[in-house]
């Protein structure tokens, strides 16, 4: 082997990593994927329990079981989806074709999920459970490549953080329109018929989401398509061996989504029953757009606090915001301040986890020689979202059921109101703290990243020299 040639290749590889710039328009259209996904999927996370009980007409206990069962099944689908991505080979790459294939199934299934057919009680439960599972599976098939494609768009960690930050900002735009306007739109379209209104409003959102997903597919470009190797299931599992930063990210992200989903599931009940004003649901959800401030600031904060420190800071801000809401009570203005803090913190923490799971792909390759983008990111992102959302929604439903909540009662008992308050404010605080513990341990592995990147660059350069 020509040593000088290897040295030149190493230097060239380092330079390529530094100069691996991702055009802004591609960062923008990459963000369209999450914006479209959130425009529909946020409805599931924020309103599914409420829709099942107050619109679809299911008992809160049954609804909770359906949500947990559906999420559990779909969470098992996440690693399978990751393996499918790793086995995908096309002229578009491993991840990009999935946006083309899943755009229509995803948007249609979400619309059908929020459509109430004229069925008897038993068939309604079957329909709700089946459509929920299908909708979740199609979202997993869409969201997995959203995360796993990032390492293939650029090898520059800073460019990944920048692209992921813009993705999260645009994702929050989708979230804003979803949670802020869905109830007013459903009221407008329904004219007193909530079931008709929700179906038409979600149908409109589905059309918009489909268009943005297709735009993202047309503009996206994966690099080194011809060099991508098919990764077997055994190799995918091997890529997790001693990949401790990946394990910590999975646990921390799972805790985050569990807390976040429990809070969101209880939100409509809290404002409708505890504060007695259903209009506050859209108002507070509308103010969630403020988390863009935190998301946009992430790349700058990371420069001073690193990724682990930034994540802990944001989780801490989230907990302070939750406690602030609890202390505010019926004071809407003070509660809104706490809500804004909680949104800025949680949104920014999500941004960090989506970015860091990409770094664990590099660590897995460094440790085992296997680059399992799809599997590792599916478990670190989609699995955590699905499983965390299911556990969080189930926790909310079980607490509400234990405290005697009944959807048919316009006025809830004091015991029921206590359960809603506990679920919306205090349960998430405890679970967020568990996520912080994981990130404290992650610090050690983040400090190791420069060594990982350097060694990988040298390996790739040596492999290139040998091929020549």
């Amino acid at each position: 082997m020509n040593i000088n040639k290897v040295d030149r290749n190493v230097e060239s590889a380092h330079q390529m990593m530094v100069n691996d710039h991702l055009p802004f328009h591609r960062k923008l259209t990459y963000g369209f994927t999450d914006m479209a996904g959130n425009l529909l999927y946020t409805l599931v996370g924020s309103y599914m329990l409420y829709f099942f009980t107050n619109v679809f007409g299911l008992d809160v206990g049954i609804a909770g079981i359906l949500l947990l069962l559906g999420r559990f099944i779909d969470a098992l689908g996440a690693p399978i989806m990751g393996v499918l991505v790793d086995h995908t080979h096309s002229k578009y790459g491993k991840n990009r074709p999935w946006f083309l294939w899943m755009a229509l199934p995803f948007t249609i299934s979400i619309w059908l999920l929020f459509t109430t057919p004229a069925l008897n009680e038993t068939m309604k439960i079957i329909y709700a459970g089946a459509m929920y599972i299908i909708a979740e599976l199609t979202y997993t098939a869409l969201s997995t490549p959203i995360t796993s494609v990032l390492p293939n768009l650029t090898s520059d960690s800073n460019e990944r953080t920048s692209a992921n930050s813009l993705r999260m900002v645009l994702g929050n735009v989708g979230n804003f329109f979803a949670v802020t306007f869905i109830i007013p739109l459903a009221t407008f379209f329904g004219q007193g018929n909530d079931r008709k209104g929700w179906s038409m409003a979600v149908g409109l959102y589905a059309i918009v989401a489909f268009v943005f997903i297709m735009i993202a597919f047309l503009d996206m470009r994966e690099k080194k398509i011809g060099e991508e190797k098919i990764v077997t299931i055994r190799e995918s599992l091997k890529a997790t061996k001693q990949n401790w930063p990946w394990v910590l990210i999975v646990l921390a992200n799972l805790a985050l989504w569990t807390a976040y989903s429990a809070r969101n599931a209880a939100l409509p009940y809290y404002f409708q029953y505890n504060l007695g004003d259903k209009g506050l649901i859209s108002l507070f959800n509308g103010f969630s757009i403020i988390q863009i401030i935190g998301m946009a600031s992430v790349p700058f904060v990371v420069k001073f606090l690193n990724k682990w420190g930034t994540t802990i800071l944001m989780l801490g801000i989230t907990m302070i915001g939750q406690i602030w809401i609890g202390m505010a009570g019926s004071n809407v203005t003070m509660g809104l301040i706490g809500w804004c803090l909680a949104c800025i913190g949680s949104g920014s923490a999500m941004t960090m986890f989506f970015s860091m799971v990409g770094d664990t792909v590099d660590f897995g390759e460094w440790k085992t020689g296997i680059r399992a983008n799809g599997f590792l990111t599916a478990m670190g992102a989609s699995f955590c979202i699905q499983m965390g959302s299911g556990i969080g929604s189930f926790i909310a439903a079980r607490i509400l059921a234990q405290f005697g909540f009944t959807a048919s009662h316009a006025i809830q008992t004091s015991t029921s109101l206590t359960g809603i308050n506990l679920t919306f404010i205090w349960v998430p605080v405890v679970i967020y703290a568990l996520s912080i513990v994981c990130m404290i341990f992650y610090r050690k592995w983040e400090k190791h990243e420069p060594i990982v990147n350097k060694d990988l660059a040298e390996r790739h350069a040596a492999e290139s020299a040998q091929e020549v």
Side-chain angles (χ1 to χ4, degrees):
M1 184 190 302
N2 190 322
I3 301 300
N4 291 330
K5 193 171 196 178
V6 172
D7 289 339
R8 287 196 301 272
N9 285 337
V10 170
E11 183 179 352
S12 176
H14 280 300
Q15 194 62 36
M16 285 178 64
M17 291 183 66
V18 172
N19 297 327
D20 194 4
H21 177 68
L22 193 62
F24 178 78
H25 71 87
R26 196 145 292 150
K27 293 179 183 178
L28 186 68
T29 52
Y30 172 62
F32 283 176
T33 59
D34 220 27
M35 183 169 69
N38 278 4
L39 186 62
L40 292 179
Y41 191 71
T42 298
L43 299 177
V44 178
S46 298
Y47 290 111
M48 200 73 262
L49 182 60
Y50 179 82
F51 176 83
F52 275 164
T53 59
N54 289 39
V55 180
F56 200 83
L58 297 181
D59 174 77
V60 67
I62 293 175
I65 292 174
L66 286 180
L67 292 177
L68 179 62
L69 178 62
R71 296 281 190 174
F72 178 74
I73 293 174
D74 295 325
L76 295 179
I80 296 175
M81 187 60 219
V83 172
L84 288 176
V85 169
D86 285 332
H87 278 72
T88 301
H89 183 72
S90 75
K91 63 180 181 180
Y92 300 120
K94 288 182 174 293
N95 305 274
R96 184 183 170 200
W98 288 96
F99 300 118
L100 174 65
W101 298 335
M102 299 311 303
L104 197 59
F106 168 63
T107 53
I108 290 179
S109 63
I110 294 292
W111 170 63
L112 290 175
L113 177 60
F114 283 93
T115 297
T116 307
L119 301 171
N120 61 42
E121 194 64 27
T122 301
M123 290 306 298
K124 280 178 66 176
I125 294 174
I126 295 174
Y127 175 88
M131 287 314 306
Y132 182 67
I133 292 173
I134 293 172
E136 290 284 349
L137 286 174
T138 58
Y139 177 71
T140 299
L142 182 75
S143 64
T144 298
I146 291 178
T147 304
S148 64
V149 75
L150 184 56
N152 286 4
L153 296 179
T154 174
S155 58
D156 190 311
S157 181
N158 292 328
E159 286 290 287
R160 289 178 187 173
T161 300
S162 175
N164 192 68
S165 181
L166 182 57
R167 163 200 167 185
M168 295 302 292
V169 168
L170 291 178
N172 191 62
V173 172
N175 172 82
F176 169 75
F177 279 97
V179 300
T180 305
F181 299 112
I182 189 62
I183 289 181
L185 277 175
T187 301
F188 172 76
F189 287 130
Q191 296 297 310
N193 185 336
D194 286 343
R195 293 179 176 179
K196 174 186 175 183
W198 274 85
S199 180
M200 293 183 66
V202 175
L204 176 62
Y205 280 13
I207 294 172
V208 175
F210 175 80
V211 172
F212 277 106
I213 293 172
M214 292 307 299
I215 291 174
F217 163 75
L218 292 172
D219 185 64
M220 193 173 295
R221 297 291 184 275
E222 290 189 52
K223 299 187 176 182
K224 300 180 180 180
I225 292 177
E227 299 176 20
E228 286 288 325
K229 299 177 181 179
I230 298 296
V231 181
T232 66
I233 297 177
R234 177 178 293 183
E235 288 174 330
S236 294
L237 294 174
K238 184 179 177 182
T240 68
K241 186 178 181 180
Q242 295 185 345
N243 193 338
W244 297 115
W246 175 78
V247 172
L248 290 170
I249 291 300
V250 169
L251 293 176
N253 204 16
L254 178 63
L256 168 67
W257 279 97
T258 299
Y260 182 77
S261 299
R263 183 198 74 174
N264 285 354
L267 182 149
Y269 303 105
Y270 181 79
F271 291 115
Q272 180 170 339
Y273 300 110
N274 290 56
L275 298 189
D277 189 347
K278 189 176 179 179
L280 291 176
I281 299 174
S282 296
L283 175 66
F284 271 69
N285 274 327
F287 267 89
S288 65
I289 191 69
I290 198 171
Q291 62 188 358
I292 285 180
I293 295 175
M295 292 175 175
S297 67
V298 161
F300 305 100
V301 179
V302 167
K303 292 180 180 179
F304 297 98
L305 298 180
N306 297 315
K307 283 172 279 191
W308 74 274
T310 300
T311 307
I312 289 178
L313 172 64
M314 296 307 175
L315 288 171
I317 291 175
T318 306
M319 295 170 66
I320 292 173
Q322 288 287 128
I323 295 172
W324 193 309
I325 297 171
M327 301 300 291
S330 60
N331 188 321
V332 175
T333 302
M334 294 300 292
L336 198 56
I337 294 174
W339 174 252
C340 289
L341 288 174
C343 287
I344 290 173
S346 60
S348 301
M350 290 175 190
T351 302
M352 294 308 307
F353 284 124
F354 283 123
S355 175
M356 288 185 289
V357 74
D359 295 329
T360 66
V361 173
D362 293 334
F363 186 90
E365 182 183 7
W366 175 79
K367 192 74 176 179
T368 66
I370 300 170
R371 188 170 185 82
N373 285 37
F375 183 79
L376 294 182
T377 56
M379 291 297 293
S382 297
F383 173 83
C384 293
I385 295 173
Q386 302 283 13
M387 201 68 243
S389 296
I391 296 173
S393 297
F394 179 74
I395 289 174
R398 291 313 305 162
I399 293 177
L400 294 183
Q402 288 296 319
F403 280 75
F405 171 81
T406 305
S408 59
H409 294 174
I411 300 177
Q412 299 296 319
T413 65
S414 59
T415 302
S416 177
L417 295 177
T418 299
I420 294 172
N421 181 74
L422 179 67
T423 308
F424 179 61
I425 295 171
W426 303 107
V427 169
V429 172
V430 176
I431 305 176
Y432 281 130
L434 298 178
S435 187
I436 288 180
V437 172
C438 293
M439 293 315 301
I440 292 175
F441 287 100
Y442 183 81
R443 176 187 180 186
K444 168 186 175 182
W445 302 106
E446 183 177 347
K447 288 184 175 181
H448 194 61
E449 281 181 13
I451 297 175
V452 171
N453 293 332
K454 181 176 180 296
D455 286 353
L456 285 179
E458 292 176 352
R459 286 186 200 174
H460 295 162
E463 291 171 358
S464 298
Q466 286 179 338
E467 291 175 1
V468 174

